């Protein structure tokens, strides 16, 4: 069984992804260079997709008390992907 703390952690990561996606889309809207805008929007879309999947997993585990190992592994993979997106975003800010 997944505990409430883990569900809140998944929701927290999902909310962070949603917030970051919104900020990146807003940033992209202010960029004139088409290629740069496309890359930022692609990064924002990746954050948004990750957030939606994390929300879905958190909701599924909040409703059903017996998570499957597959969904738990998928959640771990999504969080790892989010960290990679964070690194990509950090690299973009330093260049």
């Amino acid at each position: 069984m997944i505990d409430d703390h883990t569900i809140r952690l998944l929701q927290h990561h999902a909310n962070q992804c949603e917030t970051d996606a919104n900020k990146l889309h807003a940033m992209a809207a202010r960029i004139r260079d088409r290629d740069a805008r496309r890359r930022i929007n692609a990064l924002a879309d990746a954050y948004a997709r990750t957030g939606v999947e994390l929300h879905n997993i958190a909701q599924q585990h909040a409703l059903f008390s017996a998570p499957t190992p597959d969904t738990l592994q998928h959640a771990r993979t999504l969080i790892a992907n989010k960290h990679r997106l964070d690194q990509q975003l950090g690299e973009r800010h330093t260049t």
Side-chain angles (χ1 to χ4, degrees):
M1 179 172 171
I2 254 184
D3 60 7
D4 288 340
H5 173 73
T6 303
I7 292 170
R8 283 192 305 274
L9 185 62
L10 289 171
Q11 290 169 337
H12 172 74
H13 280 292
N15 291 338
Q16 279 184 324
C17 286
E18 182 180 332
T19 299
D20 291 344
N22 290 337
K23 287 179 182 179
L24 287 168
H25 278 300
M27 179 192 311
R30 294 187 301 269
I31 296 174
R32 292 182 189 262
D33 181 84
R34 177 182 266 161
D35 289 333
R37 186 173 56 241
R38 183 186 50 77
R39 286 190 304 271
I40 297 295
N41 275 324
L43 188 59
D45 291 343
Y47 268 107
R49 283 189 303 274
T50 301
V52 166
E53 289 190 51
L54 285 169
H55 268 299
N56 290 344
I57 291 170
Q59 185 176 23
Q60 176 186 1
H61 291 299
L63 295 173
F64 305 106
S65 61
T68 65
D70 291 343
T71 55
L72 291 177
Q73 182 57 44
H74 185 57
R76 287 184 195 101
T77 301
L78 288 169
I79 291 171
N81 288 344
K82 180 194 173 293
H83 290 305
R84 279 193 287 281
L85 290 171
D86 291 343
Q87 287 176 332
Q88 287 178 9
L89 184 59
E91 290 169 6
R92 288 191 194 280
H93 282 296
T94 59
T95 58

